[in-house]
Amino acid sequence: MMISYETGTNTFQFRAACIILHRDKVLMQRAEHNQLWFIPGGRVEFGETAEETIEREMMEEYGAPIYDRKLFWVIENFIDFPDRKVHELGMFFLVNLPRDHSIYHHVEEFQGMEEGFVNRWINIDELDQYTVIPEFVASEIRHLDHTTGVKHIKNRAVR
């Protein structure tokens, strides 16, 4: 059971995601039906740690094991939609996948193993040309400092 619940027009969800970098690019994902790009990951299952979630998600989406990870961002994301409000708690990990994995060979948009999603390696310097959500991700990715501890980000957005 995913940790996500609704009460009236309010939704809460707990999400974990993977920041995957390769040759000045970051792996991004979007649903097939829209152009909103986001960092791959998924909702945490009840009784599952965020680390277990990213391991599961990378296997489900790309058949890729994670061999190195570092918790990088803890995000409190508040999104106001015209018809509902979303409160999301996100744990974002900087991860490495096996160097020889086929995921690194893609140049254009590609399908992973999970239907309904499109993936792409986006040049970090070109992130502003895409609609990336949450909105702070593009600037944060451009200024990643691998030597710092966990960064706590509070984000409020209206869509």
Side-chain angles (χ1 to χ4, degrees), residues 2-82:
M2 305 245 176
I3 300 177
S4 177
Y5 68 88
E6 293 184 21
T7 175
T9 58
N10 298 316
T11 300
F12 172 83
Q13 58 190 23
F14 182 17
R15 185 169 188 270
C18 294
I19 304 165
I20 307 169
L21 305 174
H22 180 66
R23 296 186 179 159
D24 297 321
K25 296 180 180 182
V26 60
L27 183 63
M28 300 296 285
Q29 187 176 71
R30 68 175 175 83
E32 286 179 342
H33 65 276
N34 70 42
Q35 294 299 313
L36 301 174
W37 293 89
F38 50 88
I39 295 174
R43 287 179 284 179
V44 176
E45 296 272 353
F46 187 81
E48 181 179 63
T49 68
E51 285 184 324
E52 291 168 339
T53 299
I54 61 171
E55 290 171 2
R56 174 180 52 77
E57 288 290 338
M58 290 304 101
M59 287 304 291
E60 287 175 1
E61 295 181 18
Y62 308 109
I66 294 172
Y67 73 86
D68 190 24
R69 75 202 51 132
K70 176 185 177 185
L71 180 59
F72 216 73
W73 300 331
V74 173
I75 298 169
E76 294 181 88
N77 201 19
F78 302 90
I79 309 159
D80 290 344
F81 292 94

Side-chain angles (χ1 to χ4, degrees), residues 30-32 60-61 111-118:
R30 68 175 175 83
E32 286 179 342
E60 287 175 1
E61 295 181 18
Q111 291 289 138
M113 295 169 53
E114 190 171 19
E115 290 186 28
F117 293 95
V118 175

Side-chain angles (χ1 to χ4, degrees), residues 125-131:
D125 293 334
E126 297 173 359
L127 281 170
D128 289 334
Q129 297 173 25
Y130 296 82
T131 305

Side-chain angles (χ1 to χ4, degrees), residues 101-113:
H101 195 277
S102 62
I103 196 169
Y104 294 118
H105 302 291
H106 296 282
V107 178
E108 300 295 324
E109 290 184 0
F110 66 96
Q111 291 289 138
M113 295 169 53

